[in-house]
Amino acid sequence: NPKMSASTEDQFRDMKEYLQNISNQVEILNGNILEVKKLSIESKKELFNTRHDLHRTRHVLLNGIFEATDVRTPTAFIILNKELPPAAEPTDEKVEKTLDIVTAEDGSGVSMNTKYVSVTLTAEGADMALEGDLKEHYDRVQDGIKWAKAI
């Protein structure tokens, strides 16, 4: 352009380069924004799928627990090599009390006693005492109880 001076042309050229740089940066930012939107949509889909899977897993587990506690028929059988002898009819002399349940007089607990074990239940918890030959296995029984509680 003959009417513009060289310094003005340089200023316009610099301004044009500056605007081109800004335009390039805006395009990069737009690309980044689109990528963030895409990742956000994917994340929302994954979250929805995870929630659905967790809900389904919870449903299956609860059904399994309720079904397992609602068993009315035997779930295990033992096959013996030999036939069992017929059960002996109890006579008055042989009839023993298998389980003796005693309530504390002050109502603070209940004790259940058998030939082999005594269990006392109170507000503080349960206390167990082995009787007879089982006294020597007390530590093993306690380990078993700890293991069962952990499950």
Side-chain angles (χ1 to χ4, degrees):
N1 200 352
K3 295 183 180 181
M4 281 198 229
S5 67
S7 67
T8 307
E9 282 184 33
D10 289 341
Q11 287 178 344
F12 277 124
R13 196 176 315 116
D14 290 343
M15 200 179 290
K16 187 175 181 180
E17 286 177 18
Y18 180 73
L19 290 174
Q20 185 61 40
N21 285 338
I22 290 176
S23 177
N24 291 342
Q25 290 177 357
V26 167
E27 286 180 28
I28 291 170
L29 288 175
N30 282 338
N32 288 342
I33 289 171
L34 290 175
E35 188 66 26
V36 168
K37 281 183 179 180
K38 185 175 105 179
L39 291 173
S40 175
I41 291 169
E42 288 177 15
S43 177
K44 285 180 183 179
K45 286 179 184 177
E46 286 297 318
L47 179 62
F48 175 77
N49 290 336
T50 302
R51 283 184 179 170
H52 176 73
D53 292 346
L54 285 174
H55 179 73
R56 176 75 180 129
T57 301
R58 179 178 173 265
H59 178 74
V60 168
L61 286 174
L62 288 176
N63 276 346
I65 290 169
F66 290 130
E67 289 172 5
T69 58
D70 196 30
V71 174
R72 303 256 187 266
T73 57
T75 57
F77 300 93
I78 299 173
I79 299 174
L80 302 173
N81 292 335
K82 297 180 184 177
E83 189 173 327
L84 289 174
E89 292 295 322
T91 62
D92 290 339
E93 298 167 356
K94 287 188 172 182
V95 173
E96 294 180 18
K97 209 178 225 186
T98 327
L99 179 63
D100 183 25
I101 300 177
V102 179
T103 305
E105 289 181 22
D106 62 354
S108 62
V110 176
S111 293
M112 294 175 278
N113 305 311
T114 69
K115 182 178 178 182
Y116 302 106
V117 68
S118 296
V119 177
T120 304
L121 302 169
T122 63
E124 288 82 32
D127 185 37
M128 181 183 65
L130 298 176
E131 305 294 333
D133 296 339
L134 294 180
K135 284 184 180 181
E136 65 187 67
H137 301 290
Y138 181 79
D139 291 335
R140 284 187 180 171
V141 171
Q142 291 301 321
D143 289 342
I145 290 171
K146 288 177 188 174
W147 180 81
K149 285 181 180 179
I151 293 176

